[in-house]
Amino acid sequence: MIKKILLAFSFISLAFSAFAHGDKKVAGPNGGRIFESVTPHVEFFVTPERKIQFTFLDENNQAIAPGAQSVTVTTGDRTNPVTLTFTRQGNVLLSDTALPAGKNLPAVIQLKLTPESAPVIEKFNVNLSTYSECQHAEYACTCGH
C-alpha cells in the first residue's frame, strides 16, 4: 500500500513539475508515447501495420529486453470491444493482431510487471492523426497541448 501511495505521489509530482515548467513530453525511441506510471518505463507505439508495440526503457530511454511483464489492450467500438494479446518479438512485446479500423480508438492498457502484481491501468484515445506541431501521431504528441 505504501509503495502505491509513493508511486502515486511521484507521478503527481512529476505531472505538476512538467506543468509548472512548461516541459514538453518526451517521445519514446520509436516516436511513441511513454508511460512513466511503471518502472521500467514503457513506450506505446503503433507500427505501420497497425500493431501495438511495447518497448521497455532504461533510465536513458533506451530499449531493454522485457522480463516477466505482460500487457493486454482493450480497444475498438465500446459496444463490441477487441482485446489484443501480446507476444515477445525480440526486445519488444508486439500485438498478435492489428488495431481495428478507425483513426481514433479508445484504449484501456493493463500492464503487469510480474505475474503476481496488480495491473497498472492506462486509458486514453489512440488518435492516429499526425499533429502538425511535433509531427508525431496525436496519441504520442510531445507538444503538451
Side-chain angles (χ1 to χ4, degrees), residues 47-67:
T47 69
E49 297 81 26
R50 294 180 60 93
K51 289 190 173 188
I52 296 176
Q53 173 180 297
F54 285 95
T55 305
F56 293 88
L57 307 171
D58 66 14
E59 60 277 350
N60 297 313
N61 282 344
Q62 299 298 311
I64 58 174

Side-chain angles (χ1 to χ4, degrees), residues 2 26 29 36-37 66 79 81 88-89 107 121 124 129 135 137 140-141:
I2 291 174
V26 176
E36 295 180 344
S37 57
T79 61
R88 185 175 179 164
Q89 300 285 323
I121 298 174
F124 65 97
S129 301
Q135 297 304 308
C141 178

